[in-house]
């Protein structure tokens, strides 16, 4: 019997930005603070916002984004809104990082998460460029720690050790508002559909799901207002958002797998190689022919 | 304006530019060697015998650089053999992921390495340093063998272009012509090296003319591919052509020194060995400049 796919539903509409999830992730996975170089160059902490790290990294597998929106209208100064989003690896159904890994270091667990064999990773960093969400980070600085091997890549692994023991993820366990919910992906989709419907009923029609199209999944959700965005075959960690994806630092449209370019790129290269081969040989063959023609004359 | 600011850079550095450029030169030299062996006059053989010495040592250096550039250099064998710790369902002793250009490219480089070894040994034999039997001579000069070697040379030259295209990074992912452009520029660099060698060893006028023709035709292909690449990139060409860190290298190194000046030198004036050799040096500048500007344009795109 196939194991149920596990994931998380991130409801940004009830996130308070408390960062308990960030702390729980750091604590459970024994992740150190940002490396000294980043601290030295002022890249470790923003200090310009309640958003402290600004991005995911090899030592920050979870990051609460604070999106601060202020009105440009002088008559409405003081009117602002904060959008908060607890971000991490999305454990894509079609994961570009996993597809391009040349060593099998990235793999899918029985629960559907994308995990890393840190003792197999060679540190080529190809997966970093293949991730459409900028999740995977290279650990260039840190010496070996429980979940840190210098010269390899790092990211959220959906607490695979906890999940294998029947526990949920540390971040979801710590979330005080149930903005993060861990469970079977199919159950979470139903929960998300109910939540979107409830928000739309209350007039919050800009609420939608990023990661799955709930209608396509056969679930009931309002057909008016903001519509769901399905990306890379679906996300096992998916989001309820209240503004456009790019506002949250996410691709607006489905980026697809990087392999979408492989066949056309290889094809164009082979055509170019054939043309070059003919041109190269012809340039030298011409001389032989010219010599032959001169001899005949 | 930054493009796709949510992405992260793989933090590939100058060492990769060097690796890619050296591999391109080795690939291009083998391409020139193969083209001259298959299509050339017997007078060209003096040059091809010298060219045969070049690709193998360069590829050995490239291999060392590739390994050193890894975050975990000692684990490079995981590229070729399945690690006991890797995913069980991969199976088999050899690590091959056909969906990954990096994995496939590793084998392409290995196979190309074999062809460079054959060419190297053949050049040693012609130089009187070693003896081989007639059967070896037959294989080394077999035109089908050399044609296949030339194909693997161009695949090696284009490999990093296809590799960067199979990512999500701005500029890299936005045109399918990177591989073709890399292959063409590699061929340009290789024939350029042949022109330099021909000048150095006093090749005949016929050989020089043939090299000039080859350089001219490849320049024309380069121009077509570069225009195609920029059109294909569309708005995403901005980091490549306008970024203060990358734009000058692109315009000066690739467009001016790599295409415009060579085209002028090849189309005007007398065909002299030194003039053709100068185009050869400019071709090498173009190889490095193209790889630098494409590689770092993705990082420029992230930072705006």
């Amino acid at each position: 019997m196939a194991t149920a796919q596990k994931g998380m539903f991130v409801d940004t509409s009830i996130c308070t930005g408390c960062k308990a999830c960030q702390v729980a992730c750091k604590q459970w996975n024994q992740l150190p603070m940002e490396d000294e170089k980043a601290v030295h160059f002022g890249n470790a902490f923003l200090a310009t916002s309640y958003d402290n790290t600004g991005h995911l990294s090899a030592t920050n597998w979870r990051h609460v984004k604070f999106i601060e929106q202020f009105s440009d209208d002088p008559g409405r100064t003081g009117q602002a809104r904060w959008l908060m989003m607890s971000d991490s690896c999305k454990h894509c159904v079609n994961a570009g990082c996993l597809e391009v890994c040349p060593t099998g270091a990235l793999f899918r667990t029985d629960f559907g998460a994308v995990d890393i064999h840190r003792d197999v990773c060679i540190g080529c960093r190809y997966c970093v460029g293949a991730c459409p969400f900028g999740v995977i980070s290279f650990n260039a600085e840190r010496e070996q720690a429980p979940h840190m091997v210098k010269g390899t890549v790092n990211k959220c692994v959906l607490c695979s050790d906890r999940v294998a023991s029947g526990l949920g993820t540390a971040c979801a366990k710590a979330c005080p508002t149930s903005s993060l919910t861990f469970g079977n992906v199919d159950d979470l989709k139903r929960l998300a559909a109910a939540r979107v419907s409830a928000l739309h009923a209350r007039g919050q029609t800009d609420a939608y799901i990023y990661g799955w199209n709930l209608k396509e999944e056969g679930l009931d959700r309002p057909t008016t207002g903001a519509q769901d965005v399905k990306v890379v075959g679906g996300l096992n960690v998916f989001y309820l958002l209240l503004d456009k994806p790019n506002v949250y630092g996410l691709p607006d449209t489905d980026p697809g797998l990087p392999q979408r370019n492989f066949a056309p790129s290889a094809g164009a290269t082979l055509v170019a190689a054939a043309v070059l081969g003919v041109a190269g040989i012809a340039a030298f063959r011409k001389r032989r022919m010219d010599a032959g023609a001169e001899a005949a004359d | 304006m930054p493009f796709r600011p949510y992405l992260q850079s793989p933090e590939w550095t100058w060492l990769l530019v060097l690796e890619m450029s050296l591999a391109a030169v080795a690939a291009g030299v083998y391409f020139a060697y193969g083209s001259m062996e298959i299509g050339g006059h017997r007078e060209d053989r003096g040059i091809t015998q010298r060219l045969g010495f070049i690709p193998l040592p360069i590829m050995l250096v490239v291999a060392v650089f590739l390994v050193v550039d890894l975050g975990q250099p000692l684990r490079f064998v995981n590229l070729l053999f399945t690690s006991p710790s890797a995913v069980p369902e991969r199976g088999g002793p050899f690590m091959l992921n056909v969906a990954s250009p990096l994995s496939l490219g590793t084998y392409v480089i290995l196979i190309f390495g074999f062809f460079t070894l054959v060419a190297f040994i053949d050049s040693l034999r012609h130089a009187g340093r070693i003896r081989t039997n007639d059967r070896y001579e037959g294989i080394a000069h077999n035109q089908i063998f050399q044609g296949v070697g030339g194909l693997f040379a161009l695949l090696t030259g284009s490999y990093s272009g296809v590799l960067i295209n199979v990512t999500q990074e701005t500029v890299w992912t936005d045109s399918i012509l990177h591989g073709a452009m890399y292959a063409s520029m590699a061929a340009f660099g290789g024939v350029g090296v042949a022109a330099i060698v021909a000048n150095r060893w006093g090749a005949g006028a016929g050989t020089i003319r043939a090299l000039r023709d080859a350089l001219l035709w490849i320049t024309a292909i380069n121009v077509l591919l570069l225009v195609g690449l920029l059109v294909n990139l569309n708005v995403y060409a901005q980091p490549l052509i306008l970024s203060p860190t990358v734009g000058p290298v692109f315009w000066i190194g690739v467009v001016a020194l790599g295409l415009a000046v060579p085209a002028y030198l090849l189309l005007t004036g007398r065909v002299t060995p030194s003039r053709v050799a100068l185009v050869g040096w400019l071709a090498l500048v173009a190889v490095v400049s193209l790889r630098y500007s494409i590689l770092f344009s993705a990082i420029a795109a992230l930072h705006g």
Side-chain angles (χ1 to χ4, degrees), chain A residues 68-88:
Chain A
E68 291 145 7
Q69 296 179 323
F70 297 97
S71 173
D72 293 331
D73 183 351
R76 293 165 61 108
T77 48
Q79 287 204 3
R81 88 167 166 168
W82 276 343
L83 298 171
M84 269 89 71
M85 173 188 159
S86 182
D87 192 22
S88 69

Side-chain angles (χ1 to χ4, degrees), chain A residues 56 99-104 107 117-126 128-138 149-152 249 251 255-256 258-262 264-265 268-270 272-273 275-277 279-280 282-288, chain B residues 6-12 31 35-36 38-41 43-44 69-72 75 78-79 83 85-87 90 95 97-104 154-155 158 162-163 165-169 173 176 179-180 183-184 206-207 210-211 213-214 217 221:
Chain A
L56 295 166
E99 293 290 326
V100 301
C101 180
T103 63
F107 69 102
H117 281 303
R118 289 182 191 82
D119 55 343
V120 178
C121 176
I122 58 172
C124 68
R125 289 156 275 177
Y126 196 20
V128 176
C131 173
F133 304 107
V135 166
I136 302 193
S137 303
F138 182 61
V149 178
K150 186 179 176 180
T152 64
Q259 274 74 15
R260 70 191 181 283
N261 286 340
F262 199 176
S265 189
T269 302
L270 286 172
V275 172
L276 285 164
F284 294 102
R285 178 77 68 178
K286 182 171 171 284
R287 179 187 169 208
R288 191 186 285 178
Chain B
Y6 42 81
L7 297 175
Q8 284 208 41
S9 158
E11 298 177 38
W12 287 333
F31 167 78
S35 298
M36 291 174 90
I38 295 170
H41 196 269
E43 278 178 17
D44 300 335
D69 198 28
L70 296 174
Q72 286 283 344
R75 295 183 186 169
N78 291 354
L79 280 167
S83 165
S85 309
V87 200
R90 286 252 184 242
M95 184 65 226
N97 178 1
V98 293
S100 171
L102 184 48
S103 182
L104 280 173
L154 289 178
L155 292 179
S158 65
V162 176
L163 183 149
N165 192 213
V166 184
T167 65
Q168 304 283 7
E169 300 286 346
T173 192
I176 58 161
S184 184
T207 302
L211 285 166
D213 287 349
W217 290 6
I221 295 169

Side-chain angles (χ1 to χ4, degrees), chain A residues 33-79:
Chain A
M33 66 177 288
E34 280 278 34
D35 63 72
E36 289 79 2
K37 203 160 83 179
V39 174
H40 179 77
F41 288 108
N43 298 328
F45 303 106
L46 292 181
T48 56
S49 161
Y50 284 104
D51 184 327
N52 49 11
T53 63
H55 55 85
L56 295 166
S57 72
T59 53
N60 295 316
W61 296 358
R62 182 158 289 279
H63 160 234
V64 179
K65 290 181 178 178
F66 277 64
I67 297 116
E68 291 145 7
Q69 296 179 323
F70 297 97
S71 173
D72 293 331
D73 183 351
R76 293 165 61 108
T77 48
Q79 287 204 3

Side-chain angles (χ1 to χ4, degrees), chain B residues 5 30 46 48 56 75 84 86 95 97 102 125 128 131 139-140 155 179 203 217 241 245 263 266-267 277 282 297:
Chain B
Y30 191 95
T48 59
L56 179 68
R75 295 183 186 169
M95 184 65 226
N97 178 1
L102 184 48
R125 191 183 66 79
R131 286 184 182 178
I139 293 170
L155 292 179
W217 290 6
I241 62 178
T245 53
L266 293 168
L267 288 168
L282 292 172
S297 59

Side-chain angles (χ1 to χ4, degrees), chain A residues 196 207-215 221 226-230:
Chain A
V196 170
Y208 67 97
I209 296 301
Y210 187 82
W212 296 100
N213 184 329
L214 296 179
K215 275 279 176 204
R221 58 94 77 210
Q227 293 303 303
D228 300 339
V229 178
K230 184 179 180 181

